[in-house]
Amino acid sequence: MKRTALLCFPVFLSMVLAGCSSNPYAATNKIYKKQAKAFAKTLRATPVTNPGEDSLMQGDQWVGTTNFNLRKPNFVVIHHTAQNSTEQTLKTFTLARTQVSAHYVIGRDGKVYHMLSDYLRAWHGGAGKWGNNSDLNSSSIGIELDNNGSEPFAEAQINSLLQVLAILKKTHGIPAANFIGHSDIAPSRKVDPNPTFPWKKLAEAGFGMWYDEEKVRNSVFESIIPPYQDSTVVTADSMAIAKDSISAPVTIVPPGVVVEVDTIPLSFQPKDALRIIGYDVKNLDAAIKAFKLHFVQKEVNGILTDDDKKVLYHLYKKSLE
């Protein structure tokens, strides 16, 4: 009997150790549940008072409203991890000293880790601003994509991302224009997701803004129209006008084809357009870089070319709709 018990003990011990090691995050999951329980206790307090509130002239009794719910996320902010593996990021987000987290982490292989309830506030955005919103952490869901910052995003990863975004949009009613990048809300600090991120593909699926590329191609800048002259008469002035007019390539349109030309007015101000779209323009160069990182994805610098301005103009118009 004793020999049998001794033989069985190592088997039992190995089973226990295997059960403990099956989830390396068992300890941090326990901390999660403990913190969630503490928040639940705070919410159950009646009433929840703010510091100094006891100095106010209180009503005769506490009256709790019957009309409330949990926080409603209204933005999705997409990041790349700038780390080398999903496991490294999961570890980062489970160490208290890092002070960073996200609601979702999506690996290169497409595996999704839902790390925090959508109704709780993650620490993913840091100091940032979009429009008049200066606390995106309180109103957004953060999604981290496993990517070292300089590589293309894996197809399986983007497919999983699209599935997550569809669920979030349906569940929380998030507007299409409110799917943005970390660099959009923090242009002076962040450059993620990197220039290979498929923003156009996301926008075509209903997540984020994009522009009508044909309208951009057919846009022209308003200019002073020269007086009518007979085309058969060639003068020095007409030659000068012609020289100025060919500074940019002209598309030859076949006869009978009608092309709608969108004229960009002289009054168009790129800085105001960036601000209206949502960018913080206190550092204009940084705002331009963030805009180009998202919508142009080449020559990411603080200079707006004429083509960049055309893209900006059409996004600005769309944001006003």
Side-chain angles (χ1 to χ4, degrees):
M1 293 292 290
K2 290 183 178 180
R3 180 178 175 78
T4 303
L6 289 172
L7 289 172
C8 291
F9 180 73
V11 177
F12 172 74
L13 181 61
S14 64
M15 290 175 65
V16 172
L17 292 175
C20 294
S21 61
S22 62
N23 185 354
Y25 299 102
T28 54
N29 288 350
K30 188 175 181 180
I31 293 172
Y32 179 105
K33 291 178 181 178
K34 184 178 179 180
Q35 289 184 205
K37 187 176 180 179
F39 285 131
K41 183 178 179 180
T42 299
L43 291 173
R44 282 197 301 268
T46 52
V48 177
T49 56
N50 298 312
E53 196 171 322
D54 54 358
S55 65
L56 301 176
M57 182 183 295
Q58 302 292 335
D60 296 334
Q61 61 275 320
W62 174 69
V63 180
T65 182
T66 57
N67 307 311
F68 64 98
N69 55 12
L70 296 172
R71 100 172 178 135
K72 182 184 180 299
N74 198 42
F75 291 87
V76 170
V77 180
I78 300 172
H79 311 247
H80 67 229
T81 61
Q83 295 188 317
N84 296 317
S85 68
T86 301
E87 290 71 24
Q88 185 182 3
T89 299
L90 296 177
K91 183 176 181 180
T92 298
F93 290 172
T94 52
L95 294 174
R97 68 173 181 269
T98 64
Q99 298 288 287
V100 292
S101 60
H103 294 88
Y104 297 83
V105 174
I106 304 178
R108 291 172 172 84
D109 57 4
K111 289 184 179 178
V112 178
Y113 297 84
H114 191 175
M115 300 191 70
L116 181 67
S117 167
D118 297 350
Y119 297 102
L120 297 177
R121 184 180 186 272
W123 302 345
H124 64 95
K129 186 179 181 184
W130 187 249
N132 291 325
N133 191 331
S134 59
D135 182 10
L136 270 298
N137 280 348
S138 292
S139 59
S140 68
I141 290 173
I143 300 178
E144 290 275 359
L145 302 177
D146 179 25
N147 183 291
N148 65 16
S150 59
E151 62 185 325
F153 293 85
E155 183 178 359
Q157 186 177 52
I158 296 302
N159 289 339
S160 288
L161 172 63
L162 289 170
Q163 289 180 299
V164 171
L165 297 182
I167 292 169
L168 296 178
K169 186 175 185 179
K170 182 177 180 181
T171 303
H172 304 296
I174 298 173
N178 289 5
F179 293 83
I180 52 182
H182 198 187
S183 60
D184 293 320
I185 68 169
S188 298
R189 299 187 301 110
K190 297 297 179 178
V191 291
D192 60 305
N194 74 47
T196 69
F197 186 72
W199 283 113
K200 180 182 176 182
K201 183 174 183 177
L202 262 68
E204 289 173 343
F207 314 117
M209 290 178 63
W210 203 250
Y211 48 93
D212 186 318
E213 295 181 1
E214 184 177 356
K215 286 185 177 181
V216 168
R217 284 194 298 271
N218 294 330
S219 296
V220 296
F221 293 95
E222 183 180 39
S223 59
I224 299 174
I225 301 174
Y228 171 78
Q229 291 181 338
D230 190 328
S231 59
T232 59
V233 179
V234 178
T235 65
D237 288 341
S238 66
M239 288 294 289
I241 292 169
K243 185 177 179 181
D244 288 341
S245 67
I246 60 172
S247 58
V250 177
T251 301
I252 305 301
V253 180
V257 176
V258 178
V259 175
E260 183 179 349
V261 176
D262 208 337
T263 302
I264 301 174
L266 292 173
S267 59
F268 174 62
Q269 296 294 326
K271 182 177 180 179
D272 290 340
L274 287 166
R275 178 181 54 77
I276 289 168
I277 290 171
Y279 288 98
D280 181 356
V281 294
K282 287 182 180 177
N283 183 335
L284 184 57
D285 281 354
I288 292 172
K289 286 180 183 178
F291 162 77
K292 293 183 71 169
L293 178 63
H294 188 137
F295 295 105
V296 180
Q297 299 189 310
K298 63 181 181 179
E299 299 178 5
V300 180
N301 53 38
I303 300 171
L304 285 173
T305 67
D306 281 351
D307 286 340
D308 299 338
K309 290 176 184 176
K310 291 178 181 180
V311 171
L312 176 58
Y313 176 71
H314 283 276
L315 288 167
Y316 153 75
K317 283 181 62 179
K318 183 172 285 190
S319 69
L320 295 176
E321 293 175 357

